[in-house]
Amino acid sequence: QITQTGKASYYADSFDGKKTASGETFRQNSLTAAHPNLPFGTKVRVLNISNGRSVKVRINDRGPFTKGRMIDVSKKAAKKLGMVSTGVATVQIKYKKKQKA
Amino acid sequence: QITQTGKASYYADSFDGKKTASGETFRQNSLTAAHPNLPFGTKVRVLNISNGRSVKVRINDRGPFTKGRMIDVSKKAAKKLGMVSTGVATVQIKYKKKQKA
């Protein structure tokens, strides 16, 4: 199991219904996320280290490519993580190496 | 001429050499930027309203799709805007409507 710590942000509503890099349509109401390089389909446990809340998401998009960001989650995931009002949160992500394609 | 105000961030070095949404290869050393919907090729004047510095960039990528972000600029542009250490800046962007495809 691999652990990474970094900053999470969440998708703007304007991206709802648009095509992700995996070809899937993005839905704010699904538990998905964008990561710069994890294989599509990887299941990732995201923990908001400021409040202890966590959620499991599936990687189906590429990004964020912004300096200092590690993962972008859907709004549904952001709600579960309690980070909708803050916008950005320091999180720890965990995933299994064997999921890699 | 159209003006928008919002938050700018800049690309992570890991994206250097990757393909942008326009098909062009991304270079941190070029004066380019990502915007969610402006046509590729649009020339945009970006003004850092906290220090008065500005730079002209060409849109060649899509993004940022993160809540509360308006534009992602290359590192070269971020240097000209004096926002490398802050990472995020409140900017005003200006462009001409007639550039739209």
Side-chain angles (χ1 to χ4, degrees), chain B residues 10-86:
Chain B
Y10 68 97
Y11 283 85
D13 286 342
S14 57
F15 198 64
D16 200 50
K18 299 270 174 70
K19 210 185 222 186
T20 63
S22 70
E24 270 185 41
T25 299
F26 175 74
R27 297 292 175 203
Q28 285 282 40
N29 206 32
S30 299
L31 293 175
T32 61
H35 186 279
N37 49 46
L38 278 176
F40 295 137
T42 302
K43 302 280 181 46
V44 174
R45 168 67 60 181
V46 183
L47 169 71
N48 183 343
I49 64 178
S50 72
N51 63 13
R53 291 169 70 173
S54 78
V55 66
K56 201 172 199 176
V57 295
R58 181 174 51 83
I59 303 299
N60 76 340
D61 200 9
R62 289 285 167 248
F65 301 118
T66 300
K67 173 80 176 166
R69 286 297 149 82
M70 185 176 63
I71 193 167
D72 266 355
V73 300
S74 68
K75 197 180 229 175
K76 184 171 188 176
K79 283 178 187 165
K80 286 182 185 281
L81 290 167
M83 55 173 280
V84 168
S85 61
T86 54

Side-chain angles (χ1 to χ4, degrees), chain A residues 9-15 18 36 61 64-69 72 75 84 87-88, chain B residues 9-15 18 36 61 64-69 72 75 84 87-88:
Chain A
S9 43
Y10 68 97
Y11 284 85
D13 285 342
S14 57
F15 198 65
K18 298 269 174 70
D61 199 9
F65 299 117
T66 301
K67 173 81 175 166
R69 287 296 151 82
D72 267 355
K75 197 179 228 174
V84 169
V88 178
Chain B
S9 43
Y10 68 97
Y11 283 85
D13 286 342
S14 57
F15 198 64
K18 299 270 174 70
D61 200 9
F65 301 118
T66 300
K67 173 80 176 166
R69 286 297 149 82
D72 266 355
K75 197 180 229 175
V84 168
V88 178

